[in-house]
Amino acid sequence: MRLSRYFMPTLREAPSDAQIVSHQLMLRAGLIRQEAAGIYAWLPIGLKVLRKIEQIVREEMNRAGAVEVLMPTLQLADLWRESGRYDDYGEEMLRIKDRHERDLLYGPTAEEVITDIFRAYIKSYKDLPKNLYNIQWKFRDERRPRFGVMRGREFLMKDAYSFDVDEAAARRAYNRMFLAYLNVYARLGLKAIPVRADTGPIGGDLSHEFIILADTGESQVFAHKDLVEMGAPGPDIDWDGDLQPLVDQRTRLYAASDEMHDQARFEAEATPDERMTARGIEVGHIFYFGEKYSRPMGAKVAMPDGTERFVQMGSYGVGVSRLVGAIIEASHDEAGIIWPDSVAPFGAAVVNLRVGEAAVDQVAEQAYQALTAAGLDPLLDDRDERPGAKFASLDLVGVPWQLIVGPKGVAEGVVEIKRRATGERQSLPLEAALKAITG
RNA sequence: CGGGGCGUAGCGCAGCCUGGUAGCGCAUCUGCUUUGGGAGCAGAGGGUCGCAGGUUCAAAUCCUGCCGCCCCGACCA
């Protein structure tokens, strides 16, 4: 992409509405534009990042055996009346009427719709297990939206729903999502901690929130240090095998958010050195809820003995748009955003320091073509700007590599490469520079 | 929903108390000079002062109502 033809509106100063760093940087780097409280337009850079995160989530869901669908943003109130939630949900639900005076709502979640789809087609235990997910915009009319996309009213969520024949099978489904989530966060360059979450009226121990560590996070988290460094299981585990040991390994160590925290237990289960208290951002929540929806909505399957049984369900949510903010909270410096390579809007930027000087233009163009051919989706900064302005805006936007082409270097037969994350620079001949970037 | 704050040019702000020509920085446009970390000089454009009503000879400024946005709390992906 040639920056002179692109749309990347950056700001030198953050709008005063933005209070936390991720929100400020998203506005300054031109990722989003606020249209109303908690409602944002996604500008090109922001959209690219959002799509990359979405794709990573998608790949890991697919790997773990989930199947993608796409459910509508608008849902029928009647479905929610079946589950009993239409009246319970309250002011957070955005309710609408169509021209026939029929009650609709903008979906805050999709248990009802997915259960409706499931019950229409799945009638036998032989068709289980199933896990269906979608990545779709949700709307919750929050009392107080805040912190940019971290708590928006309209937000992009991946929500998966598992259907199983009994609780043991449901636990296996739960375990797959538990581990898949850890893989997602690892690919996003985040350290995520699974913490016990409130299971509400269902009880049991099958609900976890995934918290990533960031000083500006909304929740307090108390955890055993080893859990933070334990890392993700990786993609190559046997998804159809027994995942319980891998889950146990990560759930037996103490971890709780403030509402579930038990200080006495914390002290009993971890030595002072092992105890870690930090701020965090919730970026996922998984939940087993049994027959909560299948029973009222009549989602049941025939068993081998001919009897019918309500399916056991779980739901698994990832805040995709929130992750954009969360990654920035976890990874930035004074100059701007530091994207992990996996979600960076561009793989590299070619910085032409002297647009219009033929020798420089030629090398920049050559670098741009080579990086394009290597699949890095580079940005060519061909704006008629001074070097400082270019460096500042590329640092702000957080492109992982800068390949800097200036008249001095060209005269000496070298270019400079700079790694955004470390600030490390190197002067190299073009071929070597390209090799360093493309690996 | 309780408490607090703020709405003046694209962004950041001053002006309001004490009513009288709407300002500053950045950004934008033109020209010249510059060109390895947000340049300099000269010039230019851009504002229903959130909206409505009221007071007044006169309202960004005072009064009333409404709307919007942000923060804290409670609540929540």
Coordinates of all heavy atoms in Angstrom, one line a residue, chain A residues 65-147:
Chain A
G65 N -12.0 -27.9 16.6 CA -13.2 -28.7 16.2 C -14.5 -27.9 16.1 O -15.6 -28.5 15.9
A66 N -14.5 -26.6 16.3 CA -15.7 -25.8 16.2 C -16.0 -25.5 14.7 O -15.0 -25.5 13.9 CB -15.6 -24.6 17.0
V67 N -17.2 -25.2 14.4 CA -17.7 -25.0 13.1 C -18.3 -23.7 13.0 O -19.2 -23.3 13.7 CB -18.7 -26.1 12.6 CG1 -19.1 -25.9 11.2 CG2 -18.0 -27.5 12.8
E68 N -17.9 -22.9 12.0 CA -18.3 -21.5 11.9 C -19.7 -21.4 11.2 O -19.9 -22.0 10.2 CB -17.3 -20.6 11.2 CG -17.7 -19.1 11.2 CD -16.6 -18.2 10.7 OE1 -15.6 -18.7 10.1 OE2 -16.7 -17.0 10.9
V69 N -20.5 -20.5 11.8 CA -21.8 -20.1 11.2 C -21.8 -18.6 11.3 O -20.9 -18.0 11.9 CB -23.0 -20.7 11.9 CG1 -23.0 -22.3 11.8 CG2 -23.1 -20.3 13.4
L70 N -22.9 -18.0 10.8 CA -23.0 -16.6 11.0 C -24.5 -16.3 11.3 O -25.4 -16.6 10.4 CB -22.6 -15.8 9.8 CG -22.7 -14.2 9.9 CD1 -21.8 -13.7 11.1 CD2 -22.3 -13.5 8.6
M71 N -24.7 -15.9 12.5 CA -26.1 -15.6 12.9 C -26.4 -14.1 12.7 O -25.5 -13.3 12.7 CB -26.3 -16.0 14.4 CG -26.2 -17.6 14.5 SD -26.4 -18.1 16.2 CE -24.7 -18.1 16.8
P72 N -27.7 -13.8 12.6 CA -28.0 -12.4 12.4 C -27.8 -11.5 13.6 O -27.8 -12.0 14.7 CB -29.5 -12.4 12.0 CG -30.0 -13.6 12.7 CD -28.9 -14.6 12.7
T73 N -27.6 -10.2 13.3 CA -27.5 -9.3 14.5 C -28.9 -9.0 15.0 O -29.0 -8.7 16.2 CB -26.9 -7.9 14.0 OG1 -27.7 -7.4 12.9 CG2 -25.5 -8.1 13.6
L74 N -29.9 -9.1 14.2 CA -31.3 -8.9 14.7 C -31.9 -10.2 15.0 O -31.9 -11.1 14.2 CB -32.1 -8.1 13.6 CG -31.7 -6.7 13.4 CD1 -32.5 -6.0 12.3 CD2 -31.7 -5.8 14.7
Q75 N -32.6 -10.3 16.1 CA -33.2 -11.5 16.6 C -34.6 -11.3 16.9 O -35.0 -10.2 17.3 CB -32.4 -12.1 17.8 CG -30.9 -12.2 17.5 CD -30.2 -12.8 18.7 OE1 -30.8 -13.2 19.7 NE2 -28.8 -12.8 18.7
L76 N -35.4 -12.4 16.9 CA -36.8 -12.3 17.2 C -37.0 -12.3 18.7 O -36.5 -13.2 19.4 CB -37.6 -13.5 16.6 CG -37.8 -13.3 15.1 CD1 -38.5 -14.6 14.6 CD2 -38.8 -12.1 14.8
A77 N -37.8 -11.5 19.2 CA -38.1 -11.4 20.6 C -38.7 -12.8 21.1 O -38.5 -13.2 22.2 CB -39.0 -10.3 21.0
D78 N -39.5 -13.3 20.2 CA -40.2 -14.6 20.6 C -39.3 -15.7 21.0 O -39.6 -16.4 21.9 CB -41.1 -15.1 19.4 CG -42.3 -14.3 19.2 OD1 -42.7 -13.5 20.2 OD2 -43.0 -14.4 18.2
L79 N -38.1 -15.8 20.4 CA -37.1 -16.8 20.8 C -36.7 -16.5 22.3 O -36.5 -17.5 23.0 CB -35.9 -16.7 19.9 CG -35.8 -17.6 18.7 CD1 -34.5 -17.5 18.0 CD2 -36.1 -19.1 19.0
W80 N -36.5 -15.3 22.6 CA -36.1 -14.9 23.9 C -37.2 -15.1 24.9 O -36.9 -15.2 26.1 CB -35.5 -13.5 23.9 CG -34.2 -13.4 23.3 CD1 -33.9 -13.6 22.0 CD2 -32.9 -13.1 23.9 NE1 -32.6 -13.4 21.7 CE2 -31.9 -13.1 22.9 CE3 -32.6 -12.8 25.2 CZ2 -30.6 -12.8 23.2 CZ3 -31.2 -12.5 25.5 CH2 -30.2 -12.5 24.5
R81 N -38.4 -15.0 24.4 CA -39.5 -15.3 25.3 C -39.5 -16.8 25.7 O -39.9 -17.2 26.8 CB -40.8 -14.9 24.7 CG -41.0 -13.4 24.5 CD -42.4 -12.9 24.2 NE -42.4 -11.5 24.1 CZ -42.5 -10.7 23.0 NH1 -42.5 -11.3 21.8 NH2 -42.5 -9.4 23.1
E82 N -39.1 -17.6 24.7 CA -39.1 -19.1 25.0 C -38.1 -19.4 26.1 O -38.3 -20.2 27.0 CB -38.6 -19.8 23.7 CG -39.7 -20.2 22.8 CD -39.2 -21.2 21.7 OE1 -38.8 -22.3 22.1 OE2 -39.1 -20.8 20.5
S83 N -36.9 -18.7 26.1 CA -35.9 -19.0 27.1 C -36.2 -18.3 28.4 O -35.6 -18.6 29.4 CB -34.5 -18.6 26.6 OG -34.4 -17.2 26.6
G84 N -37.1 -17.4 28.3 CA -37.4 -16.6 29.5 C -36.6 -15.4 29.7 O -36.7 -14.7 30.7
R85 N -35.7 -15.1 28.8 CA -34.7 -14.0 29.0 C -35.2 -12.7 28.5 O -34.6 -11.7 28.8 CB -33.4 -14.4 28.4 CG -32.6 -15.4 29.1 CD -31.1 -15.2 29.0 NE -30.6 -15.5 27.6 CZ -29.3 -15.4 27.3 NH1 -28.4 -15.0 28.2 NH2 -28.9 -15.7 26.1
Y86 N -36.3 -12.7 27.7 CA -36.7 -11.4 27.1 C -37.0 -10.4 28.2 O -36.7 -9.2 28.1 CB -37.9 -11.6 26.2 CG -38.2 -10.4 25.4 CD1 -37.3 -10.0 24.4 CD2 -39.4 -9.6 25.6 CE1 -37.6 -8.8 23.6 CE2 -39.6 -8.5 24.8 CZ -38.7 -8.1 23.9 OH -39.0 -7.0 23.1
D87 N -37.7 -10.8 29.2 CA -38.1 -9.9 30.3 C -37.0 -9.7 31.3 O -36.8 -8.7 31.9 CB -39.3 -10.4 31.0 CG -40.5 -10.3 30.1 OD1 -40.6 -9.4 29.2 OD2 -41.4 -11.2 30.1
D88 N -36.1 -10.8 31.4 CA -35.0 -10.7 32.4 C -33.9 -9.8 32.0 O -33.2 -9.2 32.9 CB -34.4 -12.1 32.6 CG -35.4 -13.0 33.3 OD1 -36.5 -12.5 33.7 OD2 -35.2 -14.2 33.3
Y89 N -33.7 -9.6 30.7 CA -32.4 -9.0 30.3 C -32.3 -7.5 30.6 O -31.2 -7.0 30.9 CB -32.2 -9.2 28.8 CG -30.7 -9.5 28.5 CD1 -30.2 -10.7 28.4 CD2 -29.9 -8.4 28.2 CE1 -28.9 -11.0 28.2 CE2 -28.5 -8.6 27.9 CZ -28.0 -9.9 27.9 OH -26.7 -10.1 27.7
G90 N -33.4 -6.8 30.7 CA -33.4 -5.5 31.1 C -32.9 -4.4 30.1 O -33.0 -4.7 28.9
E91 N -32.5 -3.3 30.6 CA -32.2 -2.2 29.8 C -31.0 -2.3 28.9 O -30.8 -1.6 27.9 CB -32.0 -0.9 30.6 CG -33.2 -0.5 31.4 CD -34.3 0.1 30.5 OE1 -33.9 1.1 29.8 OE2 -35.4 -0.4 30.4
E92 N -30.2 -3.4 29.1 CA -29.0 -3.6 28.3 C -29.4 -4.0 26.9 O -28.6 -4.0 26.0 CB -28.1 -4.6 29.0 CG -27.0 -3.9 29.7 CD -25.9 -4.9 30.1 OE1 -25.6 -5.8 29.4 OE2 -25.4 -4.7 31.2
M93 N -30.6 -4.6 26.8 CA -31.0 -5.1 25.5 C -31.7 -4.0 24.7 O -32.6 -3.3 25.1 CB -32.0 -6.3 25.7 CG -32.5 -6.9 24.4 SD -33.8 -8.1 24.6 CE -32.8 -9.5 25.2
L94 N -31.2 -3.9 23.5 CA -31.7 -2.9 22.6 C -32.9 -3.5 21.8 O -32.8 -4.4 21.1 CB -30.7 -2.4 21.6 CG -31.1 -1.4 20.6 CD1 -31.5 -0.1 21.2 CD2 -30.0 -1.1 19.6
R95 N -34.1 -3.0 22.1 CA -35.3 -3.6 21.6 C -35.8 -2.7 20.4 O -35.8 -1.5 20.5 CB -36.3 -3.7 22.7 CG -35.9 -4.7 23.8 CD -36.6 -4.4 25.1 NE -35.8 -4.9 26.2 CZ -36.0 -6.1 26.8 NH1 -37.0 -6.8 26.5 NH2 -35.2 -6.4 27.8
I96 N -36.3 -3.4 19.4 CA -36.7 -2.7 18.2 C -38.1 -3.3 17.7 O -38.4 -4.4 18.0 CB -35.7 -2.9 17.1 CG1 -34.3 -2.8 17.6 CG2 -35.9 -1.9 15.9 CD1 -33.2 -3.4 16.6
K97 N -38.8 -2.5 17.0 CA -40.0 -3.1 16.3 C -39.9 -2.9 14.8 O -39.3 -1.9 14.3 CB -41.3 -2.3 16.7 CG -41.9 -2.7 18.0 CD -43.2 -2.0 18.2 CE -43.7 -2.1 19.7 NZ -43.9 -3.4 20.2
D98 N -40.3 -3.9 14.1 CA -40.3 -3.8 12.6 C -41.6 -3.1 12.1 O -42.4 -2.8 12.9 CB -40.0 -5.1 11.9 CG -41.1 -6.1 12.1 OD1 -42.2 -5.7 12.5 OD2 -40.8 -7.3 11.8
R99 N -41.8 -3.0 10.8 CA -42.9 -2.3 10.3 C -44.2 -3.1 10.6 O -45.3 -2.5 10.5 CB -42.8 -2.1 8.8 CG -42.7 -3.4 8.0 CD -43.0 -3.2 6.6 NE -41.8 -2.4 6.0 CZ -41.9 -1.9 4.8 NH1 -43.0 -1.9 4.1 NH2 -40.9 -1.2 4.3
H100 N -44.1 -4.4 11.0 CA -45.3 -5.1 11.3 C -45.5 -5.1 12.8 O -46.3 -5.9 13.3 CB -45.2 -6.6 10.8 CG -44.8 -6.7 9.4 ND1 -45.7 -6.2 8.4 CD2 -43.7 -7.1 8.7 CE1 -45.1 -6.4 7.2 NE2 -43.9 -7.0 7.4
E101 N -44.8 -4.2 13.5 CA -45.0 -4.1 14.9 C -44.5 -5.3 15.7 O -44.9 -5.6 16.8 CB -46.4 -3.8 15.4 CG -46.9 -2.4 14.9 CD -46.2 -1.3 15.7 OE1 -46.3 -1.3 17.0 OE2 -45.5 -0.5 15.1
R102 N -43.6 -6.1 15.0 CA -43.1 -7.3 15.6 C -41.9 -6.9 16.5 O -41.1 -6.1 16.0 CB -42.7 -8.3 14.5 CG -42.6 -9.7 15.0 CD -42.7 -10.6 13.8 NE -42.7 -12.0 14.3 CZ -42.3 -13.0 13.6 NH1 -41.9 -12.9 12.4 NH2 -42.3 -14.2 14.2
D103 N -41.8 -7.5 17.6 CA -40.7 -7.2 18.5 C -39.4 -7.9 18.1 O -39.3 -9.1 17.9 CB -41.0 -7.6 19.9 CG -42.1 -6.8 20.6 OD1 -42.1 -5.6 20.3 OD2 -43.0 -7.4 21.3
L104 N -38.4 -7.1 17.9 CA -37.0 -7.6 17.5 C -36.1 -7.1 18.6 O -36.4 -6.2 19.4 CB -36.6 -7.1 16.1 CG -37.5 -7.5 14.9 CD1 -36.9 -6.8 13.7 CD2 -37.5 -9.0 14.7
L105 N -34.9 -7.6 18.5 CA -33.8 -7.0 19.4 C -32.5 -7.2 18.7 O -32.3 -8.0 17.8 CB -33.8 -7.8 20.7 CG -33.6 -9.3 20.6 CD1 -32.1 -9.7 20.9 CD2 -34.5 -10.0 21.6
Y106 N -31.6 -6.3 19.0 CA -30.2 -6.4 18.5 C -29.5 -7.3 19.5 O -29.4 -7.0 20.6 CB -29.6 -5.0 18.4 CG -28.4 -4.9 17.6 CD1 -28.3 -4.1 16.5 CD2 -27.2 -5.7 17.9 CE1 -27.2 -4.0 15.7 CE2 -26.1 -5.6 17.1 CZ -26.1 -4.8 16.0 OH -24.9 -4.7 15.2
G107 N -29.0 -8.4 18.9 CA -28.5 -9.5 19.8 C -27.4 -9.1 20.7 O -26.3 -8.7 20.2
P108 N -27.5 -9.3 22.0 CA -26.4 -9.1 22.9 C -25.6 -10.4 23.1 O -24.4 -10.4 23.6 CB -27.1 -8.8 24.3 CG -28.4 -9.4 24.2 CD -28.8 -9.5 22.7
T109 N -26.1 -11.5 22.6 CA -25.5 -12.8 22.7 C -26.4 -13.7 21.8 O -27.4 -13.2 21.3 CB -25.3 -13.3 24.1 OG1 -24.8 -14.6 24.1 CG2 -26.7 -13.3 24.8
A110 N -26.1 -15.0 21.7 CA -26.9 -15.8 20.7 C -27.2 -17.2 21.2 O -27.5 -18.0 20.3 CB -26.1 -15.8 19.4
E111 N -27.3 -17.4 22.5 CA -27.8 -18.7 22.9 C -29.1 -19.1 22.3 O -29.3 -20.3 21.9 CB -27.9 -18.7 24.5 CG -26.6 -18.9 25.2 CD -25.8 -17.6 25.4 OE1 -26.4 -16.5 25.0 OE2 -24.7 -17.6 25.9
E112 N -30.0 -18.2 22.3 CA -31.4 -18.6 21.8 C -31.3 -18.9 20.3 O -31.9 -19.9 19.9 CB -32.3 -17.4 22.0 CG -32.8 -17.3 23.5 CD -31.8 -16.6 24.4 OE1 -30.7 -16.2 23.9 OE2 -32.1 -16.5 25.6
V113 N -30.6 -18.1 19.5 CA -30.6 -18.4 18.1 C -29.9 -19.7 17.8 O -30.4 -20.5 17.0 CB -29.9 -17.2 17.3 CG1 -29.9 -17.5 15.8 CG2 -30.7 -15.9 17.5
I114 N -28.8 -19.9 18.4 CA -28.0 -21.1 18.1 C -28.8 -22.4 18.6 O -28.8 -23.4 17.9 CB -26.6 -21.1 18.7 CG1 -25.7 -22.1 18.0 CG2 -26.6 -21.4 20.2 CD1 -25.3 -21.6 16.6
T115 N -29.5 -22.2 19.7 CA -30.3 -23.4 20.2 C -31.5 -23.6 19.2 O -31.8 -24.8 18.9 CB -30.8 -23.1 21.6 OG1 -29.7 -22.8 22.4 CG2 -31.6 -24.3 22.1
D116 N -32.0 -22.6 18.7 CA -33.1 -22.7 17.7 C -32.6 -23.4 16.4 O -33.2 -24.3 15.8 CB -33.6 -21.3 17.3 CG -34.8 -21.4 16.3 OD1 -35.7 -22.2 16.6 OD2 -34.7 -20.8 15.2
I117 N -31.4 -23.1 16.0 CA -30.8 -23.7 14.8 C -30.5 -25.2 15.1 O -30.8 -26.1 14.4 CB -29.5 -23.0 14.4 CG1 -29.8 -21.6 13.9 CG2 -28.7 -23.8 13.4 CD1 -28.6 -20.7 13.7
F118 N -29.9 -25.4 16.3 CA -29.5 -26.8 16.7 C -30.8 -27.7 16.7 O -30.8 -28.8 16.1 CB -28.9 -26.7 18.0 CG -28.5 -28.1 18.6 CD1 -27.3 -28.7 18.3 CD2 -29.5 -28.9 19.3 CE1 -27.0 -29.9 18.7 CE2 -29.1 -30.1 19.7 CZ -27.9 -30.7 19.5
R119 N -31.8 -27.2 17.3 CA -33.0 -28.1 17.5 C -33.7 -28.4 16.2 O -34.4 -29.4 16.1 CB -33.9 -27.5 18.5 CG -34.7 -26.3 18.0 CD -35.6 -25.7 19.1 NE -36.1 -24.4 18.6 CZ -36.9 -23.6 19.4 NH1 -37.2 -23.9 20.6 NH2 -37.3 -22.5 18.8
A120 N -33.5 -27.5 15.2 CA -34.2 -27.7 13.9 C -33.5 -28.9 13.2 O -34.2 -29.5 12.4 CB -34.1 -26.5 13.1
Y121 N -32.3 -29.2 13.4 CA -31.6 -30.2 12.6 C -31.0 -31.4 13.4 O -30.9 -32.4 12.8 CB -30.4 -29.5 11.9 CG -30.8 -28.3 11.0 CD1 -30.6 -27.0 11.4 CD2 -31.4 -28.6 9.8 CE1 -31.0 -26.0 10.6 CE2 -31.8 -27.5 9.0 CZ -31.6 -26.2 9.4 OH -32.0 -25.2 8.6
I122 N -30.6 -31.2 14.6 CA -29.9 -32.3 15.3 C -31.0 -33.0 16.2 O -31.5 -32.4 17.1 CB -28.8 -31.7 16.2 CG1 -27.9 -30.9 15.3 CG2 -28.1 -32.8 16.9 CD1 -27.0 -31.6 14.4
K123 N -31.1 -34.3 15.9 CA -32.1 -35.1 16.6 C -31.6 -36.3 17.3 O -32.3 -37.0 18.0 CB -33.2 -35.5 15.6 CG -33.8 -34.4 14.8 CD -34.7 -33.5 15.6 CE -35.4 -32.5 14.8 NZ -36.1 -31.5 15.6
S124 N -30.3 -36.6 17.0 CA -29.7 -37.9 17.5 C -28.4 -37.7 18.3 O -27.6 -36.8 17.9 CB -29.5 -38.8 16.3 OG -28.7 -39.9 16.7
Y125 N -28.2 -38.5 19.2 CA -26.9 -38.5 19.9 C -25.8 -38.8 19.0 O -24.6 -38.4 19.3 CB -27.0 -39.6 21.1 CG -26.8 -41.0 20.6 CD1 -25.5 -41.6 20.6 CD2 -27.9 -41.7 20.1 CE1 -25.4 -42.9 20.1 CE2 -27.7 -43.0 19.6 CZ -26.5 -43.6 19.6 OH -26.3 -44.9 19.1
K126 N -26.1 -39.5 17.9 CA -25.0 -39.8 16.9 C -24.4 -38.6 16.3 O -23.3 -38.6 15.7 CB -25.6 -40.7 15.8 CG -26.0 -42.1 16.3 CD -26.5 -42.9 15.1 CE -27.1 -44.2 15.5 NZ -27.9 -44.8 14.4
D127 N -25.2 -37.5 16.3 CA -24.7 -36.2 15.7 C -23.9 -35.4 16.7 O -23.5 -34.3 16.3 CB -25.9 -35.4 15.1 CG -26.5 -36.1 14.0 OD1 -25.8 -36.8 13.2 OD2 -27.8 -36.1 13.9
L128 N -23.8 -35.8 17.9 CA -23.0 -35.1 18.9 C -21.6 -35.7 19.0 O -21.4 -36.8 18.7 CB -23.7 -35.1 20.2 CG -25.1 -34.5 20.2 CD1 -25.7 -34.5 21.6 CD2 -25.1 -33.1 19.6
P129 N -20.7 -34.9 19.5 CA -20.8 -33.5 19.9 C -20.8 -32.5 18.7 O -20.4 -32.9 17.6 CB -19.5 -33.3 20.7 CG -18.5 -34.2 20.1 CD -19.3 -35.4 19.6
K130 N -21.3 -31.4 19.0 CA -21.2 -30.3 18.0 C -20.8 -29.0 18.8 O -21.1 -28.8 19.9 CB -22.6 -30.0 17.4 CG -23.0 -30.9 16.3 CD -22.3 -30.6 15.0 CE -22.7 -31.6 13.9 NZ -22.0 -32.9 14.1
N131 N -20.0 -28.2 18.0 CA -19.6 -26.9 18.6 C -19.8 -25.9 17.4 O -19.1 -26.1 16.4 CB -18.2 -26.9 19.1 CG -17.8 -25.6 19.8 OD1 -18.2 -24.5 19.3 ND2 -17.1 -25.6 20.8
L132 N -20.7 -25.0 17.5 CA -20.9 -24.0 16.5 C -20.6 -22.6 17.0 O -20.9 -22.3 18.2 CB -22.4 -24.0 16.1 CG -22.9 -25.4 15.6 CD1 -24.4 -25.3 15.3 CD2 -22.2 -25.9 14.4
Y133 N -19.9 -21.9 16.2 CA -19.5 -20.5 16.6 C -19.8 -19.5 15.5 O -19.9 -19.8 14.4 CB -18.1 -20.5 17.1 CG -17.0 -20.5 15.9 CD1 -16.5 -19.3 15.5 CD2 -16.7 -21.7 15.3 CE1 -15.5 -19.3 14.5 CE2 -15.7 -21.7 14.3 CZ -15.2 -20.5 13.9 OH -14.3 -20.5 12.9
N134 N -19.9 -18.3 16.0 CA -19.8 -17.2 15.0 C -19.1 -16.0 15.5 O -18.8 -15.9 16.7 CB -21.2 -16.8 14.4 CG -22.1 -16.0 15.3 OD1 -23.0 -15.4 14.9 ND2 -21.8 -15.9 16.6
I135 N -18.7 -15.2 14.6 CA -18.0 -13.9 14.9 C -18.8 -12.8 14.4 O -18.9 -12.6 13.2 CB -16.6 -13.9 14.3 CG1 -15.7 -15.1 14.8 CG2 -15.9 -12.6 14.7 CD1 -14.4 -15.3 14.1
Q136 N -19.5 -12.2 15.3 CA -20.6 -11.2 14.8 C -20.7 -10.1 15.8 O -20.3 -10.2 17.0 CB -21.9 -12.0 14.8 CG -23.1 -11.2 14.4 CD -23.1 -10.6 13.0 OE1 -22.3 -9.7 12.8 NE2 -23.9 -11.1 12.2
W137 N -21.2 -8.9 15.3 CA -21.3 -7.8 16.1 C -22.5 -8.0 17.1 O -23.5 -8.5 16.8 CB -21.6 -6.5 15.3 CG -20.4 -6.2 14.5 CD1 -20.1 -6.7 13.2 CD2 -19.2 -5.5 14.9 NE1 -18.8 -6.2 12.9 CE2 -18.3 -5.5 13.9 CE3 -18.9 -4.8 16.1 CZ2 -17.0 -4.9 14.0 CZ3 -17.7 -4.2 16.2 CH2 -16.8 -4.2 15.2
K138 N -22.2 -7.6 18.3 CA -23.2 -7.7 19.4 C -23.5 -6.3 19.9 O -22.7 -5.4 19.7 CB -22.7 -8.5 20.5 CG -22.2 -9.9 20.1 CD -23.3 -10.8 19.7 CE -22.9 -12.2 19.5 NZ -21.9 -12.5 18.4
F139 N -24.7 -6.1 20.5 CA -25.0 -4.8 21.1 C -25.5 -5.0 22.5 O -26.4 -5.8 22.7 CB -26.1 -4.1 20.2 CG -26.2 -2.7 20.6 CD1 -25.5 -1.7 19.8 CD2 -27.0 -2.3 21.6 CE1 -25.6 -0.4 20.2 CE2 -27.0 -0.9 22.0 CZ -26.4 0.0 21.2
R140 N -24.9 -4.3 23.4 CA -25.4 -4.2 24.8 C -25.4 -2.8 25.2 O -24.4 -2.1 25.1 CB -24.5 -5.0 25.7 CG -24.5 -6.5 25.4 CD -23.7 -7.4 26.3 NE -23.6 -8.7 25.8 CZ -22.9 -9.7 26.3 NH1 -22.2 -9.5 27.4 NH2 -22.8 -10.9 25.7
D141 N -26.6 -2.3 25.5 CA -26.8 -0.9 25.8 C -26.3 -0.6 27.2 O -27.0 -0.4 28.1 CB -28.2 -0.6 25.7 CG -28.4 0.9 25.4 OD1 -27.4 1.7 25.4 OD2 -29.6 1.3 25.1
E142 N -25.0 -0.6 27.4 CA -24.3 -0.5 28.7 C -24.7 0.8 29.3 O -24.8 1.8 28.7 CB -22.8 -0.4 28.5 CG -22.1 -1.7 28.0 CD -21.9 -2.7 29.1 OE1 -22.0 -2.3 30.3 OE2 -21.7 -3.9 28.8
R143 N -24.8 0.7 30.7 CA -25.1 2.0 31.4 C -24.0 3.0 31.2 O -24.2 4.1 31.0 CB -25.1 1.7 32.9 CG -26.4 1.0 33.4 CD -26.4 0.9 34.9 NE -27.5 0.2 35.4 CZ -27.6 -1.1 35.5 NH1 -26.5 -1.9 35.2 NH2 -28.6 -1.7 36.0
R144 N -22.8 2.4 31.3 CA -21.6 3.3 31.1 C -20.6 2.7 30.2 O -19.7 2.1 30.7 CB -21.0 3.7 32.5 CG -19.9 4.6 32.4 CD -19.8 5.5 33.6 NE -18.8 4.9 34.5 CZ -17.5 5.2 34.4 NH1 -17.0 5.9 33.5 NH2 -16.7 4.7 35.4
P145 N -20.7 2.9 28.9 CA -19.6 2.5 28.0 C -18.4 3.3 28.4 O -18.5 4.5 28.8 CB -20.1 2.9 26.7 CG -21.3 3.8 26.8 CD -21.8 3.7 28.2
R146 N -17.2 2.7 28.2 CA -16.0 3.5 28.6 C -14.8 2.9 28.0 O -14.8 1.7 27.5 CB -15.8 3.6 30.1 CG -15.7 2.3 30.8 CD -15.8 2.4 32.2 NE -16.7 1.3 32.8 CZ -16.7 0.9 34.0 NH1 -15.9 1.4 34.9 NH2 -17.4 -0.1 34.4
F147 N -13.7 3.6 28.0 CA -12.4 3.1 27.6 C -12.4 2.7 26.2 O -11.8 1.7 25.8 CB -11.9 2.0 28.5 CG -11.9 2.3 30.0 CD1 -12.1 1.4 30.9 CD2 -11.6 3.6 30.4 CE1 -12.1 1.7 32.3 CE2 -11.5 4.0 31.7 CZ -11.8 3.0 32.7

